[in-house]
C-alpha cells in the first residue's frame, strides 16, 4: 500500500516538472532547430531564451577544446561526438550565477531556493544503513522512473548523416530510467567509419582520464531526475560498499532481485526487477547494421553473480586493494588509457593491479571486477546501466574518488589538458550532455557540487577543521619564511653579544674556574621548543 501511494503521488507530481538534463532536449529535436544548429530553449519563467530577461543565462556560441588528442582515435570529422555538440548544435544556453539546465531553468548542484542562492549539501548513504522505508521508497522510485516517459528529453535513433544533416530528425521517446542507460551506451558505443567498418578503440566515458568525472556527472543527473520524477527533492542515490565482499549482498528479493529457481541468469519472479526489460545491449548487431540503439526492449534483465571467469577476476576488491589504490599520488600517467602505470584513475577503473599500480589488461580489478563478477547485463560496457546495481556501484566508486581528492588535494593542473584520448581532455565537453560541462569542471570535491557521503562526512571533521588553517598558512608561507630568517639573524646577533661578554668575563676571572655550558641537559630540557 505504501509503495502504491508513493507511485501515485509521484505520477501526479510529474505533471508540473520542467527543465532537466540529458542529451537531446525535446525542444531542440525539430528539423528547424537542427538546421539552425541553435539549441537555446525558452525558460517558461520569463518566456525568454535561456531565461536571459531574468539574468539566468544567454545563448552563446559553443567553443570546443582545440587541444590535441591522443592517437587512440586517428580520425577527425568522422564521429558525431567529436567536439561535442558541434555536429548538432553550435549555439547553446550558457547559464550564469547559480543557474543551470538546458534552458537555465534549474539551480546548480549545491544550491536551492527560488533564485538558487541557498547552499545545501545532500548526504548519500550506505544502502545497508538506510531504513526499511527508505529502501522501499528507492525501489518504488526506480520502478516509477522505468515506467515514466521523459517529458523533456528524447534519444537519437540515427547519426547526423542518417538524419540528412538535420532535415530528417530521427528521435524517439524514452522512459526516465532508460534515458540514462542510453546516455551510457551512446558515450561508449563504437564509431562508424566511412569505409563501412567500425572503430572500437573509442569511448568518451571509460579507459581514460574522464572516467571519473563523467560518471560523477552522470550520477548527479540521474539523482536529480529521480528527484524530479518523484517530487522528492531530498532523494539521494545510496552506495554499495563492496570492500571485502564475498558475494552480492544486494542480490536478494529484498533489494535488487535474487536468483531464479530454475535459471542461472534470470532474476527471481518475486522481485520487482524480474519484469524489467533491457535496452542497448546488442552492440554487435548495431555495428553490423550501422544503426544507433533506439531504445527498443531486448529481453529481461540478466544477472549471475559469481559464475564469472575467475581467471580474470579471482575475487572482489579488499580493503587493502582500496587503500593501495588511494595511496597512488598521480591521477593520470603515460598515454592515459588502460595501459597507464601508477595512475590512480586507471587503477580505480580496474585496468591496473592495486598492489603495484602496474597495468594488467588480462585481469579486471577494482571497479571493473564488480561488472565482471555480476556476470550478466552489468558485464557489457554499453549496456551495463540496465542493472540498477550499476548506480549503487558507481556511487561507491565516486566516493573513492572523493577520498583521493581530499587526501591529495590536487590542483586542476593534474587533470591533463591535452593528448588524452578523444573526449577526455580537461576542456572537452562531456558527451552527450546538454547543458555543457567540461571534464575539468567536474574534477572538484563533492561538497562543491552539493553532496557528501555519510562515512566521509563523519570521518572528515578533523580534516575539515584543519584545512582552512592549512590554506591560510599556504597563502602566507613567504611571510613565515621571512620571519624565520629575520628571527635567525636576531638570534645570531644576540648570541654573538653574549659570547663576547662571557669571553670578557673569563679574562677578568682571577680564580680561573670554568663556567658551565649554556646547553647542559637540565638547561636544555627547561628551554626546549620546536624549531617551528
Amino acid at each position: 500500500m505504501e509503495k502504491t501511494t508513493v507511485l501515485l503521488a509521484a505520477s501526479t507530481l510529474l505533471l508540473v516538472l520542467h527543465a532537466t538534463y540529458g542529451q537531446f532536449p525535446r525542444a531542440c529535436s525539430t528539423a528547424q532547430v537542427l538546421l539552425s544548429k541553435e539549441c537555446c530553449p525558452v525558460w517558461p519563467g520569463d518566456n525568454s531564451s535561456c531565461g536571459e530577461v531574468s539574468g539566468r543565462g544567454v545563448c552563446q556560441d559553443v567553443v570546443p577544446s582545440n587541444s590535441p588528442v591522443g592517437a587512440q582515435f586517428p580520425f577527425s570529422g568522422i564521429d558525431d561526438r567529436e567536439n561535442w555538440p558541434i555536429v548538432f548544435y553550435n549555439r547553446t544556453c550558457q547559464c550564469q550565477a547559480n543557474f543551470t539546465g538546458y534552458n537555465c531553468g534549474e539551480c546548480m548542484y549545491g544550491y536551492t531556493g527560488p533564485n538558487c542562492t541557498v547552499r545545501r549539501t545532500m548526504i548519500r548513504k550506505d544502502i545497508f544503513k538506510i531504513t526499511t522505508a527508505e529502501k522501499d521508497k528507492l525501489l518504488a522510485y526506480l520502478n516509477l522512473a522505468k515506467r515514466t516517459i521523459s517529458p523533456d528529453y528524447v534519444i537519437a535513433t540515427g547519426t547526423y548523416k542518417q538524419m540528412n544533416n538535420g532535415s530528417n530528425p530521427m528521435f524517439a521517446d524514452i522512459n526516465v530510467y532508460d534515458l540514462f542507460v542510453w546516455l551510457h551506451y551512446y558515450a561508449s558505443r563504437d564509431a562508424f567509419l566511412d569505409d563501412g567498418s567500425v572503430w572500437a578503440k573509442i569511448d568518451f566515458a571509460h579507459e581514460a582520464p574522464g572516467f571519473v568525472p563523467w560518471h560523477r556527472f552522470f550520477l548527479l543527473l540521474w539523482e536529480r531526475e529521480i528527484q524530479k520524477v518523484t517530487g522528492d527533492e531530498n532523494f539521494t542515490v545510496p552506495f554499495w560498499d563492496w570492500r571485502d565482499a564475498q558475494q552480492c549482498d544486494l542480490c536478494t528479493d529484498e533489494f535488487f532481485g535474487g536468483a531464479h529457481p530454475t535459471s542461472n541468469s534470470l532474476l527471481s519472479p518475486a522481485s520487482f526487477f524480474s519484469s524489467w526489460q533491457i535496452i542497448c545491449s546488442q552492440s554487435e548487431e548495431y555495428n553490423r547494421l550501422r544503426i544507433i540503439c533506439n531504445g527498443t526492449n531486448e529481453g529481461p534483465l540478466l544477472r549471475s553473480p559469481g559464475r564469472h571467469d575467475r581467471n580474470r577476476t579471482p575475487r572482489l576488491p579488499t580493503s587493502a586493494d582500496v587503500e593501495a589504490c588511494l595511496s597512488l599520488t598521480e591521477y593520470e600517467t603515460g598515454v592515459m588509457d588502460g595501459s597507464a602505470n601508477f595512475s590512480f584513475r586507471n587503477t580505480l577503473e580496474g585496468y591496473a593491479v592495486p598492489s603495484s599500480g602496474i597495468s594488467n589488461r588480462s585481469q579486471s580489478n577494482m571497479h571493473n571486477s564488480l561488472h565482471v563478477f555480476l556476470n550478466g547485463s552489468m558485464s557489457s560496457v554499453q549496456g551495463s546501466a540496465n542493472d540498477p546495481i550499476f548506480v549503487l556501484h558507481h556511487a561507491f566508486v565516486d566516493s573513492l574518488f572523493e577520498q583521493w581528492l581530499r587526501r591529495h588535494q590536487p590542483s586542476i593542473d593534474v587533470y591533463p589538458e591535452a593528448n588524452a584520448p578523444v573526449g577526455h581532455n580537461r576542456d572537452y565537453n562531456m558527451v552527450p550532455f546538454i547543458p555543457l560541462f567540461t571534464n575539468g569542471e567536474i574534477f572538484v570535491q563533492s561538497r562543491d557540487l552539493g553532496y557528501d557521503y555519510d562515512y566521509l562526512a563523519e570521518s572528515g571533521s578533523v580534516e575539515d577543521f584543519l584545512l582552512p588553517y592549512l590554506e591560510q598558512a599556504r597563502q602566507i608561507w613567504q611571510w613565515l619564511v621571512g620571519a624565520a630568517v629575520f628571527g635567525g639573524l636576531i638570534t645570531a646577533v644576540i648570541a654573538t653579544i653574549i659570547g663576547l661578554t662571557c669571553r670578557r668575563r673569563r679574562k677578568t676571572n682571577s680564580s680561573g674556574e670554568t663556567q658551565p655550558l649554556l646547553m647542559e641537559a637540565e638547561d636544555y630540557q627547561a628551554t626546549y621548543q620546536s624549531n617551528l
Side-chain angles (χ1 to χ4, degrees), residues 276-313:
W276 275 32
Q277 290 283 309
I278 63 174
I279 66 169
C280 301
S281 64
Q282 301 177 0
S283 58
E284 293 184 0
E285 185 71 0
Y286 308 148
N287 289 344
R288 185 180 69 82
L289 299 175
R290 297 178 69 82
I291 60 174
I292 303 295
C293 167
N294 62 10
T296 300
N297 290 339
E298 297 172 345
L301 178 64
L302 303 177
R303 192 188 304 137
S304 185
R307 296 185 178 91
H308 61 288
D309 182 356
R310 292 188 177 273
N311 290 323
R312 172 166 287 279
T313 302

Side-chain angles (χ1 to χ4, degrees), residues 262-285:
T262 61
S263 171
N264 288 335
S265 57
L266 296 176
L267 301 186
S268 164
S271 168
F272 277 142
F273 302 101
S274 63
S275 65
W276 275 32
Q277 290 283 309
I278 63 174
I279 66 169
C280 301
S281 64
Q282 301 177 0
S283 58
E284 293 184 0
E285 185 71 0

